[in-house]
Amino acid sequence: MKIGLLGGTGIEAKGLALRFAAAGTPVIIGSRSEDRATLAAREYNSLLGNSRIQGASNQSMIDQSDMVILTVGADHILDALHSVRLSQDQVLVDVSVPMKVDGAGVDYVEPPLGSNAERIDESLGGLLPVVGAFKTIPAHILADLQIPLDCNVFICGDSDEAKNRVALLAEKIPSLRPLDAGPLRAARTLERMTVLAVHLNRRYKRRGARFLAVGI
Ligand SMILES: NC(=O)c1ccc[n+]([C@@H]2O[C@H](COP(=O)([O-])OP(=O)(O)OC[C@H]3O[C@@H](n4cnc5c(N)ncnc54)[C@H](OP(=O)(O)O)[C@@H]3O)[C@@H](O)[C@H]2O)c1
């Protein structure tokens, strides 16, 4: 199973690439610029001391990947999706959280249809299963392998098979427990939970607020 990151040169993608590759899964960083992707892959491999991460253009990454994680900044996702060709055999994982942070605080920016995951699913017209995951884990925590995650990854989607594929990969990451959070519309809750985490970080002057469900 190869994981590709669409828009893979940002901080969220760095964290996911490092965690998956450290757990033994090959990763391809995608970018609009093959050079940027190759440079990022080189940097992440040197942090890991192996060569499980490759760089490629976004389309070349997609052509080689079984699972594509969409790590483009939330405002540019539809543009990015329209610039590539995905295949019906793949799973698309959406990690996005549309929010605005300013002096007044942090707010969820509700997309049409109720969540970004559903908006993405609609824009793809059912071509491939869309799964929402990793939305509630802070990027800089993912990107620091010295920090144990000690949290859940909540996985939502309308295809049980696609959710299982994501969960099987996620459970290889130490101290991360995948939980099935329900259908894709559960992304409406998950995306808002991230806004809560950002509020908590600001209020308590922390950076790593994240979620661990008890009682399950
Ligand atoms: N930061 C967090 O703690 C956190 C937590 C949970 C979820 N998320 C989600 O993770 C995603 C990534 O966040 P980030 O802060 O890492 O993003 P980012 O740095 O703003 O962007 C990531 C990459 O997107 C690509 N990109 C930008 N505009 C594009 C366009 N018009 N078309 C195609 N690609 C474009 C760029 O790659 P190239 O220029 O190399 O193509 C860029 O490096 C977001 O959706 C965010 O909501 C973030």
Side-chain angles (χ1 to χ4, degrees):
M1 173 76 84
K2 260 193 186 171
I3 293 181
L5 296 162
L6 176 54
T9 55
I11 178 71
E12 176 74 8
K14 177 180 181 180
L16 290 168
L18 288 173
R19 294 282 176 173
F20 278 119
T25 305
V27 173
I28 309 174
I29 303 282
S31 167
R32 289 170 293 179
S33 151
E34 189 177 339
D35 287 350
R36 259 201 307 279
T38 305
L39 271 178
R42 200 174 298 153
E43 180 201 330
Y44 307 161
N45 281 329
S46 74
L47 289 171
L48 291 169
N50 61 40
S51 52
R52 285 198 194 109
I53 305 179
Q54 287 169 248
S57 69
N58 279 328
Q59 188 60 54
S60 167
M61 170 279 293
I62 286 172
D63 295 342
Q64 302 173 65
S65 300
D66 306 291
M67 183 177 293
V68 176
I69 309 185
L70 187 53
T71 49
V72 174
D75 293 342
H76 305 293
I77 283 177
L78 295 187
D79 285 348
L81 280 177
H82 291 138
S83 70
V84 294
R85 289 177 315 282
L86 290 151
S87 142
Q88 59 183 11
D89 303 324
Q90 293 167 321
V91 172
L92 184 74
V93 180
D94 164 46
V95 306
S96 67
V97 179
M99 67 166 105
K100 79 171 164 38
V101 182
D102 58 27
V106 50
D107 280 306
Y108 184 63
V109 180
E110 185 174 318
L113 298 179
S115 70
N116 237 22
E118 290 165 285
R119 191 175 183 211
I120 289 163
D121 186 45
E122 186 202 49
S123 84
L124 293 169
L127 170 70
L128 75 172
V130 174
V131 169
F134 298 100
K135 288 177 183 276
T136 55
I137 309 176
H140 69 276
I141 296 284
L142 277 173
D144 185 344
L145 294 177
Q146 303 306 314
I147 301 178
L149 294 174
D150 291 336
C151 66
N152 292 120
V153 51
F154 300 104
I155 302 175
C156 67
D158 296 332
S159 158
D160 286 343
E161 193 202 332
K163 282 192 284 190
N164 282 338
R165 286 169 76 179
V166 178
L168 284 172
L169 284 173
E171 73 187 9
K172 290 188 187 173
I173 297 174
S175 71
L176 181 65
R177 183 175 173 217
L179 287 178
D180 184 338
L184 197 64
R185 67 175 181 278
R188 298 173 190 189
T189 304
L190 300 181
E191 291 173 14
R192 286 169 170 84
M193 283 167 67
T194 305
V195 175
L196 168 62
V198 176
H199 271 300
L200 294 173
N201 281 332
R202 288 167 75 110
R203 169 65 181 81
Y204 293 97
K205 301 193 177 9
R206 300 294 166 105
R207 300 179 69 218
R210 55 200 183 277
F211 298 93
L212 182 64
V214 295
I216 299 176

